[in-house]
Amino acid sequence: MNKAQKLRFYIEALCVYDLKKDEVVQCLLRLLQSVGSEKVLEMHGEFFRAVTRHRSFREYLSRLILTDDNAFTKAAAAGRAGELPQAVVRGVQSDLEKLEAVASVTPQDICDSVEDADIRRVLCTLPAWETGSPAAPLKTGWAQQIGELAEYHRKNGYGMFSKYNAFAWRNHALCPIAGTDPILLADLKNYEEQRRKVIDNTESFINGYPANNVLLYGDRGTGKSSTVHAVLNAYAEQGLRMIEISKSDIPDLTVIREELAESPMKFIIFIDDLCFDSHDDSFGELKAALEGSLSGSRHNTLIYATSNRRHLIKESFSDRENDINRNDIMQEQLSLSDRFGLSITFVNPDKKGYLDIVVKIAADRGLDVDEDRLCAAAERWATRRGGRSPRCARQFIDFVESAEKRGKEW
C-alpha cells in the first residue's frame, strides 16, 4: 500500500471528526484517489490552488479540528469531556492520529505513490504547497493532546461558536458576523452604575446563576448598544455569544431558542432600537418570549434590548380617546416593559459630565492638547449638533484626532 492510498483510507475512515465535506479536504481526497492515472496532474493543481488560499495545509486542517462540531467538542465546551464514553475518547484519539498524518502530506508523498515514471517526472516540476505548523494548542502528537483540546473548547466553544462570537439571524438561520465592534468596557466613560448592573447580570448568567432579561432605554447616543457590545467582548472567552435579531424576527424567537437549546454555551439575543406601534403583532410575540409561553424560558439564552422609549410603544392621539382606552394602553405598555427583569436608564449628561467624557476619551487617545481649548471646542461641537451625549463626545474626539494627525486646525 503506497502512502497516498493509506492517507485516502485515513480520511475515509474518520469517525468523530467528519471533515470530508470540507472543500480543501475534498480536493486532497480527489488527489489521493487519482494517483493511479494521469488525472493526478490536474488534481495536484486543484489541491495546490485550494491550499494556497490559506497559510499552510497543516494549519488549515488543525483549524478545522478546532472548529468542528462533534460529540467531543460539544462535551468539552460544557466542561464534561471527562464524562464521555471511552469509545468516543478512543475514536477522538484515532481520528487525531490519522489527521496528523494527513496534515503532513507533501508533494513528494504524492510523487512517490505514482508508478508511472513519466507522470512522476512532470509532478516533480509542479510547485509545492506549504505544509507549515498547526494552530495552537496543537503541536505534535495530536492523539495525546485531548486534554489540551478539551481546555481549548471549554474556553472557546465548539463548531461555529468557536470561530465567531456574534451572529445575525437572517432568512431563518444563524449567520456569523466576522467583523464585530471591538469596543471594550474601558472605552466607555462614566455611566458606571448602569454598566455595573449589566455586568453583574451577565456574570450571573454565564456562571449558571439566575439572571434577568435586560432593557437598556434612554436618550440616543448614550452608549446603550455599545455597552452590550463591550460586554460580549469582555466575556466571549467565558463562553458568551450574541445573536442579533431585528424586530421583524421576533416571531422566530422560539425557533432560535430551540436551535440553541442543546448548546452548552450562553447566548444573549440582542434586539437593538426596539420600538413598537400600538397595534404591532410582534409586540405580543415578545411578551410571550420574555415570560408567559412554555418555550419562553431557556437556561442558556437571555434577551438584551435597547430602546429610546421606556414603554417601547409609540402612541398616537387616537389611543387617548377616552380614559378607559388610555388605561388599557398603559397596562399593555407596562405588561411588556415589566417582563424585562432589569430596566436600566441612560440619559444625556449635563455640560460637566459631557466635558468630562471628552477629556477622558482624549486622554485614552493620547491627545496632547490644551484642555480649556478642547472643552470650548467640544461645547461648540455639541451645540451645532443639537445636544450633548457620549456619542457626540466620541465623534468630536475623532475629528480632533484626525485633524491633529494631519496637521490641520480644529
Side-chain angles (χ1 to χ4, degrees), residues 79-161:
R80 295 196 296 268
E83 301 173 16
L84 285 169
Q86 280 303 303
V88 175
V89 176
R90 287 193 294 270
V92 172
Q93 290 176 321
S94 176
D95 281 3
L96 289 173
E97 185 176 1
K98 293 179 175 67
L99 286 167
E100 186 171 17
V102 170
S104 302
V105 66
T106 66
Q108 190 61 48
D109 293 330
I110 305 300
C111 189
D112 292 344
S113 300
V114 174
E115 296 181 358
D116 189 295
D118 293 331
I119 295 177
R120 280 204 308 271
R121 278 193 291 271
V122 176
L123 278 174
C124 289
T125 68
L126 299 180
W129 58 81
E130 189 71 33
T131 302
S133 302
L138 291 173
K139 302 184 185 83
T140 56
W142 294 0
Q144 283 71 52
Q145 288 192 261
I146 287 186
E148 289 90 336
L149 285 173
E151 181 64 17
Y152 174 87
H153 291 299
R154 190 186 68 78
K155 291 181 178 179
N156 297 280
Y158 68 99
M160 64 178 177
F161 301 122

Coordinates of all heavy atoms in Angstrom, one line a residue, residues 79-161:
G79 N -17.5 21.5 29.6 CA -16.7 21.1 30.7 C -17.0 19.7 31.1 O -16.7 19.2 32.2
R80 N -17.5 18.9 30.2 CA -17.9 17.5 30.5 C -17.1 16.5 29.7 O -17.6 15.4 29.4 CB -19.4 17.3 30.4 CG -20.2 18.1 31.4 CD -21.6 17.6 31.4 NE -22.3 17.7 30.1 CZ -23.0 18.8 29.8 NH1 -23.2 19.8 30.6 NH2 -23.6 18.8 28.6
A81 N -16.0 16.8 29.2 CA -15.2 15.9 28.3 C -14.9 14.6 29.1 O -14.8 13.5 28.5 CB -13.9 16.5 27.8
G82 N -14.7 14.7 30.4 CA -14.3 13.5 31.2 C -15.5 12.6 31.4 O -15.3 11.4 31.9
E83 N -16.7 13.0 31.0 CA -17.9 12.1 31.2 C -18.2 11.3 29.9 O -19.1 10.5 29.9 CB -19.1 13.0 31.6 CG -18.9 13.7 32.8 CD -20.1 14.7 33.1 OE1 -21.1 14.5 32.5 OE2 -19.9 15.6 33.9
L84 N -17.4 11.6 28.8 CA -17.7 10.9 27.6 C -17.3 9.4 27.7 O -16.4 9.0 28.4 CB -16.8 11.5 26.5 CG -17.2 12.8 25.9 CD1 -16.1 13.4 25.0 CD2 -18.5 12.7 25.1
P85 N -18.1 8.5 27.0 CA -17.8 7.1 27.0 C -16.4 6.9 26.4 O -15.9 7.6 25.5 CB -18.8 6.5 26.0 CG -20.0 7.5 26.0 CD -19.3 8.9 26.2
Q86 N -15.7 5.8 26.8 CA -14.3 5.6 26.4 C -14.3 5.3 24.9 O -13.3 5.6 24.2 CB -13.8 4.4 27.2 CG -13.3 4.7 28.5 CD -12.2 5.8 28.5 OE1 -11.2 5.7 27.8 NE2 -12.4 6.9 29.2
A87 N -15.4 4.8 24.3 CA -15.4 4.5 22.9 C -15.3 5.8 22.1 O -14.6 5.9 21.1 CB -16.7 3.8 22.5
V88 N -15.9 6.9 22.6 CA -15.8 8.2 21.9 C -14.4 8.7 22.1 O -13.8 9.3 21.1 CB -16.8 9.2 22.5 CG1 -16.6 10.6 21.9 CG2 -18.2 8.7 22.3
V89 N -13.8 8.6 23.3 CA -12.4 9.1 23.5 C -11.5 8.4 22.6 O -10.6 9.0 22.0 CB -12.0 8.9 25.0 CG1 -10.6 9.3 25.2 CG2 -13.0 9.7 25.9
R90 N -11.6 7.0 22.5 CA -10.7 6.3 21.6 C -10.9 6.7 20.2 O -10.0 6.8 19.4 CB -11.0 4.8 21.8 CG -10.4 4.2 23.1 CD -10.4 2.7 23.1 NE -11.7 2.2 23.0 CZ -12.5 1.9 24.0 NH1 -12.0 2.0 25.3 NH2 -13.7 1.3 23.9
G91 N -12.2 7.0 19.8 CA -12.5 7.5 18.4 C -11.8 8.8 18.2 O -11.3 9.1 17.1
V92 N -11.8 9.7 19.2 CA -11.1 11.0 19.0 C -9.6 10.8 18.8 O -9.0 11.4 18.0 CB -11.4 11.9 20.2 CG1 -10.6 13.2 20.2 CG2 -12.9 12.3 20.3
Q93 N -9.0 10.0 19.7 CA -7.6 9.7 19.6 C -7.2 9.1 18.2 O -6.2 9.5 17.6 CB -7.2 8.8 20.7 CG -7.2 9.4 22.1 CD -6.8 8.4 23.2 OE1 -7.3 7.3 23.1 NE2 -6.1 8.9 24.2
S94 N -8.0 8.1 17.8 CA -7.8 7.5 16.5 C -7.9 8.5 15.3 O -7.0 8.6 14.5 CB -8.8 6.4 16.2 OG -8.6 5.8 15.0
D95 N -8.9 9.4 15.4 CA -9.1 10.4 14.3 C -7.9 11.4 14.3 O -7.4 11.8 13.3 CB -10.4 11.1 14.5 CG -11.6 10.3 14.0 OD1 -11.4 9.2 13.5 OD2 -12.7 10.9 14.0
L96 N -7.5 11.8 15.5 CA -6.4 12.8 15.6 C -5.1 12.2 15.1 O -4.3 13.0 14.4 CB -6.3 13.3 17.1 CG -7.4 14.2 17.6 CD1 -7.2 14.4 19.1 CD2 -7.5 15.5 16.8
E97 N -4.9 11.0 15.4 CA -3.6 10.4 14.8 C -3.7 10.3 13.3 O -2.7 10.6 12.7 CB -3.5 8.9 15.4 CG -2.2 8.3 15.0 CD -2.1 6.9 15.7 OE1 -3.0 6.5 16.4 OE2 -1.0 6.2 15.4
K98 N -4.8 10.0 12.8 CA -4.9 9.9 11.3 C -4.8 11.3 10.7 O -4.2 11.5 9.7 CB -6.3 9.3 10.9 CG -6.4 7.8 11.3 CD -7.8 7.3 10.9 CE -7.9 5.8 11.1 NZ -7.8 5.4 12.5
L99 N -5.5 12.3 11.3 CA -5.5 13.6 10.8 C -4.1 14.3 10.8 O -3.7 15.1 9.9 CB -6.5 14.5 11.5 CG -8.0 14.2 11.2 CD1 -8.9 14.9 12.2 CD2 -8.3 14.7 9.8
E100 N -3.3 13.9 11.8 CA -2.0 14.5 11.9 C -1.1 13.9 10.7 O -0.3 14.7 10.1 CB -1.3 14.1 13.2 CG 0.1 14.8 13.4 CD 0.7 14.6 14.8 OE1 0.2 13.8 15.5 OE2 1.6 15.4 15.1
A101 N -1.3 12.7 10.4 CA -0.6 12.1 9.3 C -1.1 12.7 8.0 O -0.3 13.0 7.1 CB -0.9 10.6 9.2
V102 N -2.4 13.0 7.8 CA -2.9 13.6 6.6 C -2.4 15.0 6.5 O -2.1 15.5 5.4 CB -4.5 13.6 6.7 CG1 -5.1 14.5 5.5 CG2 -5.0 12.2 6.6
A103 N -2.3 15.7 7.6 CA -1.9 17.1 7.6 C -0.4 17.2 7.2 O 0.0 18.3 6.7 CB -2.0 17.8 9.0
S104 N 0.3 16.2 7.3 CA 1.8 16.2 6.9 C 2.0 15.8 5.5 O 3.2 15.7 5.1 CB 2.5 15.2 7.9 OG 2.3 15.6 9.2
V105 N 1.0 15.6 4.7 CA 1.2 15.1 3.3 C 2.0 16.2 2.5 O 1.8 17.4 2.7 CB -0.2 14.9 2.6 CG1 -1.0 16.1 2.5 CG2 0.0 14.2 1.3
T106 N 2.9 15.7 1.7 CA 3.8 16.6 0.9 C 3.7 16.2 -0.5 O 3.3 15.1 -0.9 CB 5.3 16.4 1.4 OG1 5.7 15.1 1.0 CG2 5.4 16.7 2.8
P107 N 4.1 17.1 -1.4 CA 4.1 16.7 -2.9 C 4.9 15.5 -3.1 O 4.6 14.7 -4.1 CB 4.6 18.0 -3.5 CG 4.3 19.1 -2.6 CD 4.4 18.5 -1.2
Q108 N 6.0 15.3 -2.4 CA 6.9 14.2 -2.6 C 6.2 12.9 -2.3 O 6.4 11.9 -2.9 CB 8.1 14.3 -1.7 CG 9.2 13.3 -2.0 CD 9.7 13.4 -3.4 OE1 10.1 14.5 -3.9 NE2 9.8 12.3 -4.2
D109 N 5.3 12.9 -1.3 CA 4.5 11.7 -0.9 C 3.6 11.3 -2.1 O 3.4 10.2 -2.4 CB 3.6 12.0 0.3 CG 4.3 12.2 1.6 OD1 5.4 11.6 1.7 OD2 3.8 12.9 2.4
I110 N 3.0 12.3 -2.8 CA 2.2 12.0 -4.0 C 3.1 11.5 -5.1 O 2.7 10.5 -5.8 CB 1.5 13.3 -4.4 CG1 0.7 13.9 -3.3 CG2 0.6 13.0 -5.6 CD1 -0.4 13.0 -2.7
C111 N 4.2 12.1 -5.3 CA 5.1 11.7 -6.4 C 5.6 10.3 -6.2 O 5.6 9.5 -7.1 CB 6.3 12.7 -6.5 SG 7.3 12.4 -7.9
D112 N 5.9 9.9 -4.9 CA 6.4 8.6 -4.6 C 5.4 7.5 -4.8 O 5.7 6.3 -4.9 CB 7.0 8.5 -3.2 CG 8.3 9.4 -3.0 OD1 8.9 9.7 -4.1 OD2 8.6 9.7 -1.9
S113 N 4.1 8.0 -4.7 CA 3.0 7.0 -4.8 C 2.6 6.7 -6.3 O 1.8 5.8 -6.5 CB 1.8 7.5 -4.1 OG 2.1 7.7 -2.7
V114 N 3.1 7.5 -7.2 CA 2.8 7.3 -8.6 C 3.8 6.3 -9.3 O 5.0 6.5 -9.1 CB 2.8 8.7 -9.4 CG1 2.6 8.5 -10.9 CG2 1.8 9.6 -8.8
E115 N 3.2 5.3 -9.9 CA 4.1 4.3 -10.5 C 4.6 4.7 -11.9 O 5.8 4.3 -12.3 CB 3.3 3.0 -10.7 CG 2.9 2.4 -9.3 CD 2.1 1.1 -9.5 OE1 1.9 0.7 -10.6 OE2 1.8 0.5 -8.5
D116 N 3.9 5.5 -12.6 CA 4.3 5.9 -14.0 C 5.4 6.9 -13.9 O 5.3 8.0 -13.4 CB 3.1 6.5 -14.7 CG 3.4 6.7 -16.2 OD1 4.3 7.5 -16.5 OD2 2.7 6.1 -17.0
A117 N 6.6 6.5 -14.5 CA 7.8 7.3 -14.4 C 7.6 8.7 -15.1 O 8.1 9.7 -14.6 CB 9.0 6.6 -15.0
D118 N 6.9 8.7 -16.2 CA 6.7 9.9 -17.0 C 5.9 10.9 -16.2 O 6.2 12.1 -16.1 CB 6.0 9.7 -18.3 CG 7.0 8.9 -19.3 OD1 8.2 9.0 -19.1 OD2 6.4 8.1 -20.1
I119 N 4.8 10.4 -15.5 CA 4.0 11.3 -14.7 C 4.7 11.8 -13.5 O 4.6 12.9 -13.1 CB 2.7 10.5 -14.3 CG1 1.8 10.2 -15.5 CG2 1.9 11.3 -13.2 CD1 0.6 9.4 -15.1
R120 N 5.6 10.9 -12.9 CA 6.4 11.3 -11.8 C 7.3 12.5 -12.1 O 7.5 13.5 -11.4 CB 7.2 10.2 -11.2 CG 6.5 9.2 -10.3 CD 7.4 8.5 -9.4 NE 8.5 7.9 -10.1 CZ 8.5 6.6 -10.6 NH1 7.4 5.9 -10.5 NH2 9.5 6.1 -11.2
R121 N 7.9 12.4 -13.4 CA 8.8 13.5 -13.8 C 8.1 14.8 -13.9 O 8.6 15.9 -13.6 CB 9.5 13.1 -15.1 CG 10.7 12.2 -14.9 CD 11.5 12.1 -16.2 NE 10.8 11.3 -17.2 CZ 10.8 10.0 -17.4 NH1 11.6 9.3 -16.6 NH2 10.2 9.4 -18.4
V122 N 6.9 14.8 -14.4 CA 6.1 16.0 -14.6 C 5.7 16.5 -13.2 O 5.7 17.7 -12.9 CB 4.8 15.8 -15.4 CG1 4.0 17.0 -15.5 CG2 5.2 15.3 -16.8
L123 N 5.3 15.6 -12.3 CA 4.9 16.0 -10.9 C 6.1 16.8 -10.2 O 5.8 17.7 -9.5 CB 4.5 14.8 -10.1 CG 3.1 14.3 -10.3 CD1 2.9 13.0 -9.5 CD2 2.1 15.3 -9.8
C124 N 7.3 16.3 -10.5 CA 8.4 17.0 -9.8 C 8.6 18.4 -10.3 O 9.3 19.2 -9.6 CB 9.7 16.1 -10.1 SG 9.7 14.6 -9.3
T125 N 8.0 18.8 -11.4 CA 8.2 20.2 -11.9 C 7.1 21.1 -11.3 O 7.2 22.3 -11.5 CB 8.1 20.2 -13.4 OG1 6.8 19.9 -13.9 CG2 9.1 19.2 -14.1
L126 N 6.1 20.5 -10.7 CA 5.0 21.3 -10.2 C 5.4 22.0 -8.9 O 6.2 21.4 -8.1 CB 3.7 20.5 -10.0 CG 3.2 19.8 -11.3 CD1 2.0 19.0 -11.0 CD2 2.9 20.9 -12.4
P127 N 4.8 23.1 -8.5 CA 5.1 23.8 -7.3 C 4.6 23.1 -6.1 O 3.6 22.3 -6.2 CB 4.4 25.2 -7.4 CG 3.3 24.9 -8.4 CD 3.8 23.9 -9.4
A128 N 5.3 23.2 -5.0 CA 4.9 22.5 -3.7 C 4.1 23.4 -2.8 O 4.4 24.6 -2.8 CB 6.2 22.1 -3.0
W129 N 3.1 22.9 -2.2 CA 2.3 23.6 -1.2 C 3.1 23.7 0.1 O 4.0 22.9 0.4 CB 0.9 23.0 -1.1 CG 0.9 21.6 -0.6 CD1 1.1 21.1 0.6 CD2 0.8 20.5 -1.5 NE1 1.0 19.7 0.7 CE2 0.8 19.3 -0.6 CE3 0.6 20.3 -2.8 CZ2 0.7 18.0 -1.1 CZ3 0.4 19.0 -3.3 CH2 0.5 17.9 -2.5
E130 N 2.7 24.6 0.9 CA 3.3 24.8 2.3 C 2.7 23.8 3.3 O 1.5 23.8 3.4 CB 3.1 26.2 2.7 CG 3.9 26.6 4.0 CD 5.4 26.7 3.7 OE1 5.8 27.1 2.6 OE2 6.2 26.4 4.6
T131 N 3.5 23.0 3.9 CA 3.0 22.1 4.9 C 2.7 22.9 6.2 O 1.7 22.8 6.8 CB 3.9 21.0 5.2 OG1 4.1 20.3 4.0 CG2 3.3 20.0 6.2
G132 N 3.7 23.7 6.7 CA 3.5 24.6 7.8 C 3.4 23.9 9.2 O 3.8 22.7 9.4
S133 N 2.9 24.7 10.1 CA 2.7 24.2 11.5 C 1.3 24.3 11.9 O 0.5 25.1 11.4 CB 3.6 25.1 12.5 OG 4.9 25.1 12.1
P134 N 0.9 23.5 12.9 CA -0.5 23.5 13.4 C -0.9 24.7 14.2 O 0.0 25.4 14.8 CB -0.7 22.2 14.2 CG 0.7 22.0 14.7 CD 1.7 22.5 13.7
A135 N -2.1 25.1 14.3 CA -2.6 26.2 15.1 C -2.6 25.7 16.6 O -2.9 24.5 16.9 CB -4.0 26.6 14.7
A136 N -2.3 26.6 17.5 CA -2.3 26.3 18.9 C -3.7 25.9 19.3 O -4.7 26.5 18.8 CB -1.8 27.5 19.7
P137 N -3.9 25.0 20.3 CA -2.9 24.4 21.1 C -2.2 23.2 20.5 O -1.4 22.5 21.2 CB -3.7 24.0 22.4 CG -5.0 23.6 21.8 CD -5.3 24.6 20.7
L138 N -2.6 22.8 19.3 CA -2.0 21.6 18.8 C -0.5 21.8 18.5 O -0.1 22.8 18.0 CB -2.7 21.2 17.5 CG -4.2 20.6 17.7 CD1 -4.9 20.5 16.4 CD2 -4.2 19.4 18.5
K139 N 0.3 20.8 18.8 CA 1.8 20.8 18.5 C 2.1 19.6 17.7 O 1.9 19.5 16.5 CB 2.5 20.9 19.8 CG 2.2 22.1 20.7 CD 3.1 22.1 21.9 CE 2.6 23.2 22.9 NZ 1.6 22.8 23.8
T140 N 2.7 18.6 18.3 CA 3.0 17.3 17.7 C 2.4 16.2 18.6 O 2.2 16.4 19.8 CB 4.5 17.0 17.6 OG1 5.1 17.1 18.8 CG2 5.1 18.0 16.6
G141 N 2.0 15.1 18.0 CA 1.4 14.0 18.8 C 0.0 14.4 19.2 O -0.4 14.4 20.3
W142 N -0.8 14.7 18.1 CA -2.2 15.2 18.4 C -3.1 14.2 19.2 O -3.9 14.7 20.0 CB -2.9 15.5 17.0 CG -2.3 16.6 16.2 CD1 -1.2 17.4 16.6 CD2 -2.7 17.1 14.9 NE1 -0.9 18.3 15.7 CE2 -1.8 18.2 14.6 CE3 -3.7 16.7 14.0 CZ2 -1.9 18.9 13.4 CZ3 -3.8 17.4 12.8 CH2 -2.9 18.5 12.5
A143 N -2.9 12.9 19.0 CA -3.7 12.0 19.7 C -3.5 12.0 21.2 O -4.4 11.6 22.0 CB -3.4 10.5 19.2
Q144 N -2.3 12.6 21.6 CA -2.1 12.7 23.1 C -2.5 14.1 23.6 O -2.2 14.4 24.8 CB -0.6 12.4 23.4 CG -0.2 11.0 23.3 CD -0.2 10.4 21.9 OE1 0.4 10.9 21.0 NE2 -0.9 9.3 21.7
Q145 N -3.1 14.9 22.8 CA -3.4 16.2 23.3 C -4.9 16.5 23.5 O -5.4 17.6 23.4 CB -2.9 17.2 22.2 CG -1.4 17.4 22.2 CD -1.0 18.6 21.4 OE1 -0.7 18.5 20.2 NE2 -1.1 19.8 22.0
I146 N -5.6 15.4 23.9 CA -7.0 15.5 24.2 C -7.3 16.5 25.3 O -8.2 17.3 25.3 CB -7.7 14.1 24.5 CG1 -7.8 13.3 23.2 CG2 -9.0 14.3 25.1 CD1 -8.5 12.0 23.4
G147 N -6.4 16.5 26.4 CA -6.6 17.4 27.5 C -6.5 18.8 27.1 O -7.3 19.7 27.5
E148 N -5.5 19.1 26.2 CA -5.3 20.5 25.8 C -6.5 20.9 24.9 O -6.9 22.1 25.0 CB -4.0 20.6 25.0 CG -2.7 20.5 25.8 CD -2.2 19.1 26.0 OE1 -3.1 18.2 25.8 OE2 -1.0 18.9 26.2
L149 N -7.0 20.0 24.1 CA -8.1 20.3 23.2 C -9.4 20.6 24.0 O -10.2 21.5 23.8 CB -8.4 19.2 22.2 CG -7.4 19.1 21.0 CD1 -7.6 17.9 20.2 CD2 -7.5 20.4 20.1
A150 N -9.6 19.7 25.1 CA -10.7 19.9 25.9 C -10.7 21.3 26.6 O -11.8 22.0 26.7 CB -10.8 18.8 27.0
E151 N -9.5 21.7 27.1 CA -9.4 23.0 27.7 C -9.7 24.1 26.7 O -10.3 25.1 27.0 CB -8.0 23.1 28.3 CG -7.8 24.5 29.1 CD -8.7 24.7 30.3 OE1 -9.3 23.7 30.7 OE2 -8.8 25.8 30.7
Y152 N -9.2 23.9 25.5 CA -9.4 24.9 24.4 C -10.9 25.1 24.2 O -11.4 26.2 24.1 CB -8.7 24.5 23.2 CG -9.0 25.4 22.0 CD1 -8.2 26.5 21.7 CD2 -10.1 25.1 21.1 CE1 -8.5 27.4 20.6 CE2 -10.4 25.9 20.0 CZ -9.6 27.1 19.8 OH -9.9 27.9 18.8
H153 N -11.6 24.0 24.1 CA -13.0 24.1 23.8 C -13.8 24.7 25.0 O -14.9 25.3 24.8 CB -13.6 22.8 23.3 CG -13.1 22.3 22.0 ND1 -13.3 23.0 20.8 CD2 -12.3 21.3 21.6 CE1 -12.7 22.4 19.8 NE2 -12.1 21.4 20.3
R154 N -13.3 24.4 26.2 CA -14.0 24.9 27.4 C -14.0 26.4 27.4 O -14.9 27.1 27.8 CB -13.4 24.3 28.6 CG -14.2 24.7 29.9 CD -13.4 24.2 31.1 NE -12.2 25.0 31.3 CZ -12.2 26.2 31.9 NH1 -13.3 26.8 32.2 NH2 -11.0 26.9 32.0
K155 N -12.9 27.0 26.9 CA -12.7 28.4 26.8 C -13.3 29.1 25.6 O -13.7 30.2 25.6 CB -11.2 28.8 27.0 CG -10.6 28.5 28.3 CD -9.2 28.9 28.3 CE -8.5 28.7 29.7 NZ -7.1 29.1 29.7
N156 N -13.2 28.3 24.5 CA -13.5 29.0 23.2 C -14.8 28.4 22.5 O -15.2 28.9 21.4 CB -12.3 28.8 22.2 CG -11.1 29.5 22.7 OD1 -10.9 30.7 22.6 ND2 -10.2 28.7 23.4
G157 N -15.4 27.4 23.1 CA -16.6 26.9 22.4 C -16.3 25.8 21.4 O -15.2 25.3 21.3
Y158 N -17.3 25.5 20.6 CA -17.2 24.4 19.6 C -17.8 24.8 18.3 O -18.6 25.8 18.3 CB -17.8 23.1 20.2 CG -19.4 23.3 20.2 CD1 -20.2 22.8 19.2 CD2 -19.9 24.0 21.3 CE1 -21.6 23.0 19.3 CE2 -21.3 24.1 21.4 CZ -22.1 23.7 20.4 OH -23.5 23.9 20.4
G159 N -17.5 24.1 17.3 CA -18.2 24.4 16.0 C -18.0 25.8 15.6 O -17.0 26.5 15.8
M160 N -19.1 26.4 15.0 CA -19.0 27.8 14.5 C -18.9 28.7 15.7 O -18.5 29.9 15.5 CB -20.2 28.1 13.6 CG -21.5 28.0 14.3 SD -22.9 28.5 13.2 CE -24.3 28.3 14.2
F161 N -19.3 28.3 16.9 CA -19.3 29.1 18.1 C -17.8 29.3 18.6 O -17.6 30.2 19.4 CB -20.2 28.6 19.2 CG -21.6 28.5 18.8 CD1 -22.3 27.3 18.8 CD2 -22.3 29.6 18.3 CE1 -23.6 27.2 18.4 CE2 -23.6 29.5 17.9 CZ -24.3 28.3 17.9

